[in-house]
Every structure is written in structure tokens, then in C-alpha cells.
Amino acid sequence: MKQPGGGASRSTRSARSAGSASVPRRPRAPAVVRHALLRWIVLALAVAVWQLVARAHGSVYFPPPAEIARHAHALWFSGPARHVFLTDAAVADILPSLGRMTAGFALAAVVGIALGVAVGRSRRAYALCNPVLQFARAVPPPALVPVFVVIFDFGTPMQIASIVFSAVWPVLINTAEGARDTDPLRLEVAAVLRLTPAERLGFLVLPSALPRIFAGLRLSLSLSLILMVFSELLPGTANGIGFTLTDAQSRSDLLTVWAALVLLGALGYLLNTGLLAVEKRLVGRGRTPTV
């Protein structure tokens, strides 16, 4: 015997289940914790294998990670608490490098996003500039160091210029591609609503281009770190992580060389993690409908 309204109740339940299925579910907290623990376990296993192999080999050229960590702590992170545990060597080596990299990356991001939006929003400008952009991107940045030395001489301006030239192209090209991919229908709706160019840029172009922009920023961040180290390997540099590498190599201080390499890897990981966190927040907002 059928119950009255049974069909309606079944259709209601099916509609609810369809609606709940269309809504993306966030990963549960235990799954996120398990994933994070798995990553740290893999890292710990890799370090343990390194420790065992290095101790078994007993070579001065391949020190165990425990010795590298103790040396790095004594060299850079054993300072007083009022100085955030940074030693004088850390202030002389790490902070100048981070300052140069931050300045170069910030300039590359601003210039790349501004020019990328301008080029991407004009078909004619994109068609004219794209071959030049691809050519400039293909030029190895170290090959232009002699040019930068002639223009800026050795020192911080030359180092920042080399970082900017290397890091600007991924941001510029990805931003241009993202601006070109803006939904034409949304642009037509914006024209009907009579949005100003600034409103179209802020509400449509930039939000739709954010995923491509951050893809370019991640590439630029890694290039900035690489060019920061390379520029500090050149003559005329008196501080920085790259200078520490060359100075330690000249003194056959292999522990300092390994400590600098591990420090660079840790800095790259932390900076990339911070940029991914910013991307997760902003790209999520940028994908919400604004018109």
C-alpha cells in the first residue's frame, strides 16, 4: 500500500542528495592530519637514510645531517633571544640575501602583472609583443650578467636587476594569458552594467587571471632564489648566502657549504609554502562570481 505523498518525499530526498552531491566537500581534518604526517614521515626517513649512509661512508665530503644541523645552529641560530636567536653571521649572511631576493621578486611581480594585464587585454598588443616576450624569456639570465655589470657595476643594484630580469617573464606571460582568458560573456554583462575600466579590471580581469598569475609567481619565486645565489657568487659581493658558499669553498669548510645548501632548500620550501597559502585564499575569492 502506497503512502500518500511518497513520490513527493522520494523526489525531495533525491533533490537533496543531488544538491548535496553538487557541493564540494572539504577534506576532513583527520585526512589532512594523516597527509601531513605522511609527508613528515617520508622526510624523516630520507634524513635517517642520509644519516646512516653518511656515517657508514665516513667521508669528509659527505657529512651526516646531524653534524650539518649542529653547525648551522652554531653558525646562524644560536644568538640571543632579543635578536630572534640570530647570530651576527646570520645578520651578515641571511638578511642581505633575503632583502635582495625580496626586492627583486617584488619588482618583478609588480612590473609583470601590470604589463601582463596591459598586453593580455589587447589582441594587437599581444600579437606584436608575444614574439619579443618569448625571445626575452629564452635568454639565460646569467648570460646577461656582463651587461648588467657594465650598466650597474658590481653591487646590490646589479644583483637586483639580474633577479628582476629573470623573474619578470613568468609573471608577465602568465598574467597576459590569464587576462586573455577572461570570460567574454562576463565582459558583455559588465558592458551592459556600464562598469568602468577600473571596475572591470578589479572585478573581472584580475580575479579570472589569478590562477595564472600565481602560477607565474611560483616560477618567479624559485628563479629569484636561484639568481640571488648566483649574483652573490660574482666578484664584488661582501655578504650573502652565495658569498658564504664561495668563501667556505675557498677555505675547504665543507660543513659550512652543506649548511648553506640546506639553508637554501629550507628557505625555498618556506617561501613556496607561504605563497601557496596566499594563493589558496586569494584564488578561492577570485573564483567567486562578481557580476
Side-chain angles (χ1 to χ4, degrees), residues 73-290:
H73 177 266
L75 183 62
W76 292 313
F77 305 110
S78 58
R82 64 178 183 274
H83 293 160
V84 202
F85 301 103
L86 295 178
T87 62
D88 293 338
V91 175
D93 297 337
I94 301 175
L95 296 186
S97 294
L98 289 178
R100 297 184 188 106
M101 191 196 71
T102 302
F105 176 72
L107 286 174
V110 172
V111 173
I113 292 174
L115 293 180
V117 170
V119 171
R121 293 310 301 151
S122 172
R123 293 183 179 180
R124 180 174 299 179
Y126 183 85
L128 293 174
C129 296
N130 187 51
V132 178
L133 297 178
Q134 299 299 333
F135 173 82
R137 184 182 66 169
V139 176
L144 291 175
V145 168
V147 178
F148 293 137
V149 170
V150 171
I151 297 175
F152 299 103
D153 202 357
F154 289 107
T156 300
M158 183 274 296
Q159 294 167 337
I160 294 177
S162 63
I163 294 172
V164 171
F165 182 85
S166 172
V168 71
W169 306 116
V171 182
L172 198 160
I173 293 174
N174 278 277
T175 302
E177 292 291 342
R180 292 180 71 236
D181 291 340
T182 305
D183 189 358
L185 180 60
R186 299 180 69 186
L187 292 175
E188 294 176 3
V189 174
V192 172
L193 296 177
R194 297 181 180 180
L195 297 183
T196 64
E199 291 173 336
R200 296 182 189 183
L201 178 65
F203 295 148
L204 295 177
V205 178
L206 286 179
S208 65
L210 271 181
R212 299 296 298 268
I213 291 175
F214 273 99
L217 288 175
R218 289 197 301 271
L219 291 174
S220 295
L221 183 63
S222 60
L223 289 174
S224 299
L225 185 63
I226 294 171
L227 264 294
M228 177 267 291
V229 176
F230 177 80
S231 65
E232 293 174 348
L233 299 176
L234 300 174
T237 305
N239 54 26
I241 301 175
F243 173 78
T244 301
L245 274 172
T246 54
D247 181 65
Q249 183 182 6
S250 66
R251 294 183 289 104
S252 298
D253 186 359
L254 297 179
L255 271 179
T256 300
V257 171
W258 278 98
L261 293 176
V262 172
L263 175 65
L264 289 172
L267 287 176
Y269 175 79
L270 292 175
L271 293 172
N272 184 68
T273 301
L275 187 60
L276 285 175
V278 175
E279 177 186 5
K280 186 176 181 181
R281 294 181 65 88
L282 293 183
V283 170
R285 293 179 182 178
R287 288 178 177 173
T288 55
T290 55

